[in-house]
Amino acid sequence: MKEAMRQFGAAAVNAGEAHGISSKVIGKAMGEIVSDYETFGKMGPKVMANVAAYTNKLGIEVKALSGLVDKWDNFEDAAKGAARLAQTMGMNVDAMKMMREQNPAKRLDMLQRAFKRSGKSIEGMTRQQKKLLASSAGLDMKTTEMAFSHRGLGMSYDDITKKSDKNRKKQLNLYLWIRA
């Protein structure tokens, strides 16, 4: 138990340091993920910390991703969502890939990339179009606006994980240098 708590804390500190976010904020978001096991399933501390950093950078809360998980977790809903996004927004989303993906941040990242490829801009959309995008994605309106804004489309989940991994390696090298 002690080791699990140490890993949890180390992941929060690492992600916070890598992205300029308080480790308390990261830890709190990780706690929300842990407390909602039915929605988020089993994630390791590193993944939880990266999801927390990603949502924080987007300006959304971790809880907001629960609708995205519910919307894309079964084939029927995923196929309907993908078809609806293709028909109304010109977004090409692979329903099977979305359904198989276990990480909600990666699911959001896939939707963001499809939206970006469609050439649309959330800023130029009407309220009804935003509402349609939100319901098709499984997000609320505020989360949709934040996630699909220019700020949200400017970063990817992979960027977050790479930066966290780079910081972890830097910390490990520093630790090994100090011990030598």
Side-chain angles (χ1 to χ4, degrees), residues 38-85:
E38 283 207 20
T39 301
F40 296 107
K42 184 179 179 183
M43 290 184 192
K46 292 176 191 173
V47 174
M48 280 190 272
N50 287 331
V51 169
Y54 183 63
T55 55
N56 184 281
K57 288 284 189 180
L58 288 174
I60 63 176
E61 294 194 25
V62 171
K63 289 183 265 181
L65 296 180
S66 62
L68 179 72
V69 172
D70 294 339
K71 183 73 175 182
W72 296 91
D73 258 2
N74 66 63
F75 180 74
E76 186 177 339
D77 290 342
K80 284 179 184 176
R84 192 170 173 194
L85 288 171

Side-chain angles (χ1 to χ4, degrees), residues 22-144:
S22 166
S23 59
K24 288 181 181 181
V25 171
I26 299 288
K28 183 179 181 213
M30 289 171 70
E32 290 176 11
I33 293 171
V34 168
S35 69
D36 195 357
Y37 184 81
E38 283 207 20
T39 301
F40 296 107
K42 184 179 179 183
M43 290 184 192
K46 292 176 191 173
V47 174
M48 280 190 272
N50 287 331
V51 169
Y54 183 63
T55 55
N56 184 281
K57 288 284 189 180
L58 288 174
I60 63 176
E61 294 194 25
V62 171
K63 289 183 265 181
L65 296 180
S66 62
L68 179 72
V69 172
D70 294 339
K71 183 73 175 182
W72 296 91
D73 258 2
N74 66 63
F75 180 74
E76 186 177 339
D77 290 342
K80 284 179 184 176
R84 192 170 173 194
L85 288 171
Q87 183 181 23
T88 59
M89 301 287 162
M91 292 172 59
N92 189 12
V93 178
D94 186 338
M96 288 300 290
K97 233 180 181 177
M98 286 288 287
M99 188 182 77
R100 285 188 195 128
E101 182 57 59
Q102 297 300 303
N103 186 332
K106 284 186 179 181
R107 282 185 180 178
L108 180 57
D109 193 50
M110 283 188 246
L111 287 174
Q112 287 174 318
R113 281 184 274 141
F115 183 76
K116 196 173 189 177
R117 285 191 305 266
S118 75
K120 299 247 187 279
S121 164
I122 195 81
E123 290 81 7
M125 296 174 101
T126 65
R127 181 184 52 79
Q128 293 88 345
Q129 289 172 318
K130 290 177 187 177
K131 192 173 182 178
L132 181 65
L133 176 61
S135 69
S136 298
L139 301 168
D140 61 58
M141 193 79 129
K142 181 182 175 199
T143 302
T144 301

